């Protein structure tokens, strides 16, 4: 396949990349832009480790072709806070959520999307929204507590 040039906006910065149009956005973010916070997990949009925001909505970047993201605003885990001061990041630390840490950027990006749309979600709304972002270590109770803490402190 032939390479094309795409202009994508990631964390407020414009990037010009030359890749095949069907290249997953995940690999563009990691390999061409150099942002390593977004993780590869399953490659089929089932685990959520690769979650980013596309125009404010959480999407799985492992299956989203770069061609579909051109002209959109993309936010990665690096873009939610320059100094880890986002209320969710603080709550994640306070609740000691991470064990292995692999899913954490996807978990936080999914949670940020929820809180941007619903400042005070119920426990049931949190559980429903976070469903589908897999934590292999099983820290779901701490994840929920961290989101609840962020709603109180944010």
């Amino acid at each position: 396949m032939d390479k094309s040039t795409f202009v994508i906006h990631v964390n407020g910065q414009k990037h010009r990349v030359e890749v095949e149009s069907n290249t997953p956005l995940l690999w563009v973010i990691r390999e061409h832009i150099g942002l390593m916070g977004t993780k590869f997990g399953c490659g089929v949009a089932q685990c959520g480790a690769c979650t980013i925001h596309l125009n404010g909505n959480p999407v799985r970047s492992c299956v989203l072709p770069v061609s579909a993201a051109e002209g959109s605003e993309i936010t990665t885990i690096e873009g939610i806070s320059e100094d880890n001061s986002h209320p969710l990041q603080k709550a994640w630390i306070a609740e000691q959520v991470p064990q292995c840490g692999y899913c954490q950027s996807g978990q936080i990006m999914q949670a940020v999307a929820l809180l941007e749309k619903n400042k005070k979600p119920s426990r049931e709304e949190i559980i429903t929204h976070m469903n589908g972002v897999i934590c292999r270590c099983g820290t779901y109770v701490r994840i929920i507590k961290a989101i609840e803490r962020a709603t109180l402190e944010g």
Side-chain angles (χ1 to χ4, degrees), residues 14-119:
K14 185 165 54 170
H15 298 271
R16 187 177 305 275
V17 295
E18 189 174 323
V19 294
E20 294 177 2
S21 64
N22 64 346
T23 302
L25 185 58
L26 169 66
W27 300 119
V28 172
I29 290 168
R30 289 180 61 82
E31 296 178 357
H32 296 273
I33 297 174
L35 298 174
M36 301 307 229
T38 306
K39 304 297 184 201
F40 174 78
C42 65
V44 292
Q46 296 297 304
C47 75
C50 67
T51 301
I52 55 141
H53 292 177
L54 186 71
N55 297 323
N57 297 306
V59 298
R60 306 300 193 252
S61 64
C62 70
V63 295
L64 183 70
V66 66
S67 58
E70 191 170 32
S72 298
E73 290 298 323
I74 299 161
T75 306
T76 68
I77 189 72
E78 293 91 348
I80 65 166
S81 159
E82 290 183 14
D83 60 359
N84 296 324
S85 63
H86 190 282
L88 271 167
Q89 291 170 315
K90 289 180 178 179
W92 235 250
I93 293 166
E95 293 297 335
Q96 299 179 7
V97 174
Q99 280 189 26
C100 81
Y102 199 81
C103 71
Q104 299 310 302
S105 60
Q107 296 280 358
I108 290 171
M109 293 305 288
Q110 187 78 10
V112 166
L114 170 65
L115 297 184
E116 286 179 352
K117 291 180 175 46
N118 182 352
K119 301 285 184 214

